[in-house]
C-alpha cells in the first residue's frame, strides 16, 4: 500500500527540511532593498554569518548556489597558470577540480578511494616537496556529501604550517557549516565556501564565502576576470548592510531566523546533536549487517551516512521502494558510487524521533525490497540514542 498521508520524509543530505519558523519568517512582503529597513536586515545577517563561520572578517552572501560560491573563490584568489593541490575525496572534490581546471589552473589531484578524507601527512609531504612554492592553494572539501567522509581541517592547517608553505587554504563547507564544528579564523582558513540548503536549514539559493585578509590580498593581484562574483564590489555596499545588486531578500529573512534558532540552541549543542544522530544511524547500519562507506572512524560524517548495498543488490531500486511505500527520499550514490550506495541525511531540522522514523523506513524498505539484512537496526539506534541521553 502506498502511504501519502502525513509529511514527506526528506532524508537526503541536503537540501534539508526547512523549519516552520524559517518558513514563517520568509512568508513576508519584499521590501525596498535600498531602503532603511533593508540596511538593518543586511547588517544583521552579515553579522550573524560571522558568528556561524566563526570569523571576525567579511562573509559575502551571494544569491546563487554553492557552485557559484566555488567559482567566486577561484576567480577572486587565483590566476590562470597557477598550480593548486586538491584531493580526490569524492564526487564534489572532483567537480570542484574540473571547475578549477576550466580557468587554466593546473591541478595536482591526489587520487583517493572515496572512503577516506584528506590525509594531513600527505598534504605536508606534497608541500614540503614544493620548495619553489608553486602551489598557490590547497583546496579541500570539508564534508564530502557523496561519501559521508569528513576531512580534518585543523590537522590540514597544521600540515601546511609544518611544511612552512604559503599556499592559501580554501575549504568547501557546503554540507558541513551549521552541522559540524567549524572555525574559519582559529583554523587559519583563507576562504570558506558554503551554501544555504543544508546545515543552515534554508531553501537552496544562497552561496557564501568567508574571506581572510590573505585571500583578499591575493585578489588584488590575481588575473581572473570577474564581475558578479567580485568580492570588492560586494564588500563596499556590505559595509552599511546593502548589496550591489538585488539581494535574495526573502532568503535573508529566513537566514536571520535560522541563525537565531542555531544560537538559541547553542552552536556546540547543534554540533553534539548531529554527532549523536550520526552515531545512532551507524549503530543501525551495523545491526543490519551492512557496511558504512567511510572507513576511518575519525572521519565519520555527522551530516550523513553512506551505506553500501550488499553485492548484487541495486541501491536505486531499494530507494524507489522506500519512496513508493513510505514517502521517504534517501540520497542516491553519485557518479562512480551510482547504484552502489544510498545516503541517509541526518542534518539540520532533525531530532531523535525524525531520525527514528527515517531509520524505520529504511529497515522496512530493506525487507520490502528483498535486500538481505538482519533485523534490529532500529532497536540498536534507539539504544544508542538512549545511551546518549543517560550520558
Ligand atoms: C560538498 C558540496 N560541494 C558543492 C556542492 C554544490 O553545491 P550546489 O548544488 O548548491 O551548487 C554540493 C551540493 O550538494 C556539496 O554537497
Amino acid at each position: 500500500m502506498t502511504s501519502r498521508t502525513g509529511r514527506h520524509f526528506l532524508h537526503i543530505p541536503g537540501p534539508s527540511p526547512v523549519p516552520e519558523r524559517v518558513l514563517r519568517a520568509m512568508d513576508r512582503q519584499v521590501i525596498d532593498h535600498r531602503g532603511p529597513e533593508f540596511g538593518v536586515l543586511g547588517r544583521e545577517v552579515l553579522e550573524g554569518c560571522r558568528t556561524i563561520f566563526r570569523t571576525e572578517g567579511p562573509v559575502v552572501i551571494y544569491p546563487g548556489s554553492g557552485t557559484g560560491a566555488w567559482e567566486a573563490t577561484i576567480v577572486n584568489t587565483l590566476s590562470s597558470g597557477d598550480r593548486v593541490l586538491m584531493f580526490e575525496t569524492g564526487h564534489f572534490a572532483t567537480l570542484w577540480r574540473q571547475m578549477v581546471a576550466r580557468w587554466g589552473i593546473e591541478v595536482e589531484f591526489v587520487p583517493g578511494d572515496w572512503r577516506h578524507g584528506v590525509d594531513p601527512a600527505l598534504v605536508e609531504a606534497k608541500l614540503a616537496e614544493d620548495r619553489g612554492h608553486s602551489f598557490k592553494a590547497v583546496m579541500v572539501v570539508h564534508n564530502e556529501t557523496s561519501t559521508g567522509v569528513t576531512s580534518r581541517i585543523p590537522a590540514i592547517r597544521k600540515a601546511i604550517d609544518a611544511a612552512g608553505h604559503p599556499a592559501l587554504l580554501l575549504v568547501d563547507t557546503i554540507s558541513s557549516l551549521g552541522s559540524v564544528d567549524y572555525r574559519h579564523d582559529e583554523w587559519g582558513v583563507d576562504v570558506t565556501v558554503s551554501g544555504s540548503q543544508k546545515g543552515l536549514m534554508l531553501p537552496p539559493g544562497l552561496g557564501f564565502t568567508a574571506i581572510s585578509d590573505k585571500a583578499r590580498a591575493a585578489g588584488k593581484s590575481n588575473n581572473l576576470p570577474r564581475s558578479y562574483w567580485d568580492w570588492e564590489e560586494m564588500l563596499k555596499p556590505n559595509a552599511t548592510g546593502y548589496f550591489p545588486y538585488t539581494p535574495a531578500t526573502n532568503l535573508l529573512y529566513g537566514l536571520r531566523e535560522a541563525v537565531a534558532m542555531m544560537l538559541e540552541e547553542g552552536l556546540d549543542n547543534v554540533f553534539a546533536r548531529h554527532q549523536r544522530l550520526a552515531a545512532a544511524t551507524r549503530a543501525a547500519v551495523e545491526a543490519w549487517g551492512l557496511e558504512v562507506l567511510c572507513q576511518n572512524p575519525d572521519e565519520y560524517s555527522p551530516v550523513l551516512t553512506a551505506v553500501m548495498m550488499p553485492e548484487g543488490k541495486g541501491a536505486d531500486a531499494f530507494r524507489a521502494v522506500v519512496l513508493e511505500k513510505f514517502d521517504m527520499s534517501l540520497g542516491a550514490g553519485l557518479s562512480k558510487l551510482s547504484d552502489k550506495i544510498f545516503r541517509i541525511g541526518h542534518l539540520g531540522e532533525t531530532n531523535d524521533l525524525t531520525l527514528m522514523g527515517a531509520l524505520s523506513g529504511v529497515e522496512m524498505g530493506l525487507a520490502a525490497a528483498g535486500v538481505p539484512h538482519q533485523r534490529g537496526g532500529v532497536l540498536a539506534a534507539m539504544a544508542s540514542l538512549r545511551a546518549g541521553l543517560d550520558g
Side-chain angles (χ1 to χ4, degrees), residues 120-189:
L122 203 53
V123 175
E124 186 174 339
K126 289 273 172 201
L127 293 183
E129 267 169 30
D130 179 35
R131 292 203 182 78
H133 294 166
S134 67
F135 287 125
K136 290 292 174 268
V138 176
M139 302 174 67
V140 176
V141 175
H142 183 211
N143 185 68
E144 233 323 329
T145 326
S146 61
T147 62
V149 180
T150 304
S151 287
R152 289 158 289 162
I153 305 303
I156 294 168
R157 174 75 260 169
K158 268 197 196 124
I160 299 172
D161 293 344
H165 200 288
L168 295 165
L169 176 57
L170 313 179
V171 180
D172 169 339
T173 66
I174 289 171
S175 65
S176 57
L177 192 83
S179 300
V180 186
D181 189 13
Y182 188 82
R183 296 148 193 261
H184 177 87
D185 284 0
E186 189 182 321
W187 295 352
V189 178

